[in-house]
Amino acid sequence: MTTPSSSTTDPVLSVRDLTIRFKARGRETPVVHGIDFDIHGGETLALVGESGSGKSVTSFALMRLLPDARHCTIEGQVNIGGVNLLELTERKMTSVRGPKIAMIFQEPLTSLNPVHRVGDQIAEAIRYHRKMTRAQIRDRVLELLTLVGIPDPERRMSAYPGAMSGGMRQRVVIAMALALEPDLLIADEPTTALDVTVQAQILELLRDIQNRTGMAMLFITHDFGVVAEIADRVMVMYSGRIVEEGRLEDVLTQPRMPYTQGLLSSVPRLEDAGLRTGALGTIEGFVPTAGNLPDGCSFHPRCPHARPGVCDTAMPALEPHGRPDHPVRCLRIEDIAASDMEDLSV
Amino acid sequence: MSTLIEAVDLKQHYPVRQGLLGRQTAAVKAVDGVNLRIHRGEVLGLVGESGSGKSTLGRNLMMMERPTSGAVLYEGSDLAGRSHKALHPYRRKMQMVFQDPFSSLNPRMTVEDSLTMPLRFHQPELSAAQRRDAAAETLERVGLPRSMITRYPHEFSGGQRQRIGIARGLIVRPEFMVADEPVSALDVSVQAQVLNLFSEIRESLGLTLLFVTHDLAVVGHIADRVAVMYLGQIMEIAPTRALFTAPKHPYTETLLSAAPQPTVGARGARIPMKGEPPSPLSPPSGCVFRTRCSHATPECDAAHPELRSRAPGHLSACIRDDISLVPAVSDRPTSPRRKQSA
Amino acid sequence: MSAISDAPARRPSPLRVFTGPRMRKFMRHRLAMLGLIMIVGLTLTCFFGPYLLPYDELYIDLRARFSPPLTENHILGTDPLGRDIAARLFSAGQISLTVGFTAMVLSTLIGTVIGLVAGYFGGWTRTGLMRIVDAFLSFPSIFLMLTLAAFLQPSPTMITLIIAVTSWMEVARIVEAEVRGQASRDFTAAARMIGAPHWWIMLREILPNVTGPIIVAATLTVARAILLEAYISFLGYGIQPPLPSWGNMLNNAQQYLESAPWLAIVPGVAITMAVTSFNFIGDGLRDALDARSVK
């Protein structure tokens, strides 16, 4: 079930029935259960979830960065430009990473080699894929460093990653990711390790680059504040399944899934600062571990609206329930919709 | 309100040594001349970015690290000059909750061992059974069942471990607690549970709390007053609502405007912050914030702004009284109340 | 992280190192299990074997000199004086294994204490202690041992002490590194904040967290100690005849290598078995106990 986007063009990325299982001690544990989504050019889709929801595993699967078939199996389709990435050889995949799809991570240091100058590292990515002269590559590196807002790029290109701050390193990583003008950028919690002021700068940079290049972006985060800054559409993930999907405004102001409602009510708000608004909303219990999912809806043991005999028997499907652009995975949606949400709007 | 603990011109400088002979070539001024009073029974939020020295200040107050100079007065008596032994009676009054729930509990100790440990040293008169009872009681206090007392840390989730960490602090019935980023490592929904627990215990136990965090929304929720730190110095200190609705320091203004909020339409309206925090090894001369400040004037190069009273209980270390800053929150009475799920 | 039920759990044994997934991991390590079986077999044979033999290790039967293995009652043959090699091998094994084990216990003790103190206190304490470790390490231990052995009465006790004194540095280094890691963790800080004394933090908080690497190092130290003992005894500075040890049995065998090769082969095989077994066990324990390899 996917949401028709406002755009009528073909999606840049189209994921169908993506299922990921980890193998350990002869047992297979599903961690992602058949998810579907599309991302169009120029669009940012935020994938939101707590730890253990499967959001990072999903992004790694799209990049084919998961361990080999002995340790995990991936089924379904990841289509980019009419090609299913899951069927490519590792060699072919190498030529897709970079020009088609690129990724940035939470900790920029893991993507940078500490013993090489940052300019050389960006140049390396270009040289591998493009036939360009040294001078052309150098110009391109300078252009990229300027694009990501690194001051004094001429000098910075010969700096080592260790000599840069976290924010600067993340900018370099973004420059590397953008070097080959990918159609899709996957950003896995790229600002989580940064200070708020630097985070604000990086988010603005990503928005700005997207406006200029029209690339699609899959933004993975646990932070609804960041989601509000960057996303056009939001998917909420819980226990390896998408439980709600919709436009940013709809999800933030009229969340339909009790899980999303719980998450949003547990975030302290700046506008309530110092007002002693009482206890924050909470979600009881824990995220279940993959392999120990409860019967029925995975969220029902923690759900304030759960009904025995209904929610613990069948896994609900991700369905529109009257709003085609805002599907939700909840059996009791009609019963709880009326009472609950109008006062959430801001 | 009486002062429980006070920092007087507190400094923590770390020498940077270089060369064969290890000569001191510079110093990182993690805490650089902080004056701060914490009132009995209040929650003081201490916010700042990484490298601001907020954690070091917390550790200094706890005498976990001895300050380079300055005094820490606990009910008027100085702790900084005291020997290990002379500090012992104060250890019971001051406790700490750590950021990382995975490293703050000994993996080879049961919850019981971890919780009873403080009692061994502070109430040696208790029998093993009494200690065990006290531990079980405290465990219930933080919302975990008594029966879990025989478990090892690896059997708990991050949020549960943080509760155990809080219980270990509470078991000696301290007056003062420093919580160093206690919810930063937790998932959103668990973070709310732990914050609620903090609100609840400070209320019921009359605890004085220094809540160190980088998260403005969290501090706005939990604190009565907020101190904002930058490069080892306090920039502004004010009652929480006043800080959010009428900031008096440009750094606070920038910090507030950068905080991401899960609301529609917040996007983009930012006060630009130039560059990144300077290295604490070579802080700017004059006002330490001037290199990133959008209101800086030539006078700021030479000024050493002290904290000055700008409104009742509202101090700011900025020489410019003439600027009007943009608040993060307009001071209308309240936002629409959010629903609290069960 | 798994959510857990309220049911009271059974209290795990204090020796949690040896239970659960770690134990299973060790059991799955085939070479380590083989090593364990060989060592247990070797030890039992050495200590109880002599009761099953018709001769003791000092009984001289000149009529049966140089009997090859499997002659009459001499399963492993006899030496140039007609003494039963099996009896000598077992009796030598008792000494060699005891020396190896005791030296291991002593050197592990020394190394653990020094490593614990150096790693916990850090600063100048660490610098001083670790420079001592470096000094010991930089001295070629064989020469040190030979020098010591030449001046001191080479009794088994003395040999044990000499080996212990020259082989604790490895353990000290390992323990120091591990302790330094643990001492920087928040639970140690929490204990300090409580006002727990240093000895308590070292012994109760930190030591239980570094037992794994210590056990691994200790196992490998046994292997080394056995080898060292054989080495100095072979050179004639160790256990002195008529007391047999695997090393001096080899020494005696030198001149008969062509005429009576079993004289060298028998103790040689015993030494190889003991040393490789301990090394296998050490490898297995490392895989099973090492914090980095345990999930």
Side-chain angles (χ1 to χ4, degrees), chain C residues 17 38 62 123-124 152 170 262:
Chain C
V17 178
M38 289 212 307
L62 288 176
W124 288 108
L152 300 167
E170 200 72 13
W262 62 89

Side-chain angles (χ1 to χ4, degrees), chain B residues 64-145:
Chain B
M64 201 165 141
E65 262 175 272
R66 278 173 196 279
T68 314
S69 72
V72 173
L73 304 179
Y74 194 94
E75 293 179 315
S77 61
D78 185 19
L79 301 184
R82 281 171 189 261
S83 69
H84 192 70
K85 222 181 191 138
L87 277 174
H88 192 77
Y90 289 92
R91 295 279 185 222
R92 180 175 174 180
K93 300 183 177 181
M94 316 189 295
Q95 282 299 311
M96 183 140 182
V97 175
F98 296 87
Q99 169 175 8
D100 179 3
F102 290 85
S103 114
S104 65
L105 296 174
N106 192 331
R108 293 259 188 251
M109 280 191 172
T110 60
V111 173
E112 180 184 347
D113 290 339
S114 286
L115 291 188
T116 53
M117 190 260 286
L119 295 177
R120 279 171 198 269
F121 301 109
H122 289 285
Q123 284 168 285
E125 71 279 4
L126 294 183
S127 70
Q130 284 172 313
R131 286 203 298 262
R132 194 186 154 87
D133 275 356
E137 217 165 87
T138 316
L139 203 60
E140 267 185 345
R141 190 80 200 67
V142 298
L144 292 173

